[in-house]
Amino acid sequence: MSADDFNRHTDLKMLLHHIYEFQKGVRRLVLCTICPTCARLMAERLQARRIDYLVQPVTADKVNLYFGHRACLDAVRMFVHKPLNELSAEEDFMLGVMLGYDLPMQCERYCTRKRRPLPAVGAGG
């Protein structure tokens, strides 16, 4: 088994676990960055289970695969149409909350991204 095969196998096992968590109600939305081949295999599994999904290209050898509740995917379609590292602080916060990331950590991340250096106060001011 090559390193690529091993990584694909590991990705698929992880994704199957995410499907299980979604079906049990633990997650409402899942995001995985995987190779296009894995995304095609996962899309087949998601279709067979009638789970909505969305695939967005990242690079030639990576895609973002979102799956979960249709309303969550509709929201993702409305504001995620650029690389994730280019999301605004508000978009990044929304996506993190939708994915179920730790809320206090998301709040700290948002505040850190929004902080601007305060202008220098002049003498006598």
Side-chain angles (χ1 to χ4, degrees), residues 82-93:
K82 56 190 161 196
L84 297 180
N85 66 335
E86 293 178 14
L87 294 178
S88 70
E90 291 79 10
E91 292 166 334
D92 180 82
F93 179 80

Side-chain angles (χ1 to χ4, degrees), residues 14 20 34 41-43 50 71 85 100 102 110-111 116-117 120 124:
M14 177 203 50
Y20 172 81
I34 56 177
L41 293 170
M42 281 306 300
R50 297 185 175 174
N85 66 335
D102 180 79
Y110 173 76
C111 291
R116 307 264 190 261

Side-chain angles (χ1 to χ4, degrees), residues 37-106:
T37 302
C38 291
R40 282 190 294 279
L41 293 170
M42 281 306 300
E44 291 173 10
R45 290 178 185 255
L46 294 167
Q47 287 171 354
R49 290 171 171 83
R50 297 185 175 174
I51 297 173
D52 293 319
Y53 67 93
L54 167 66
V55 177
Q56 292 180 330
V58 175
T59 65
D61 48 340
K62 285 186 191 175
V63 298
N64 284 333
L65 171 69
Y66 298 84
F67 65 89
H69 287 277
R70 178 169 295 219
C72 296
L73 293 169
D74 288 345
V76 167
R77 283 184 187 94
M78 294 185 93
F79 73 91
V80 181
H81 21 64
K82 56 190 161 196
L84 297 180
N85 66 335
E86 293 178 14
L87 294 178
S88 70
E90 291 79 10
E91 292 166 334
D92 180 82
F93 179 80
M94 285 179 14
L95 183 59
V97 170
M98 291 171 62
L99 290 166
Y101 296 168
D102 180 79
L103 184 56
M105 286 176 66
Q106 282 302 113

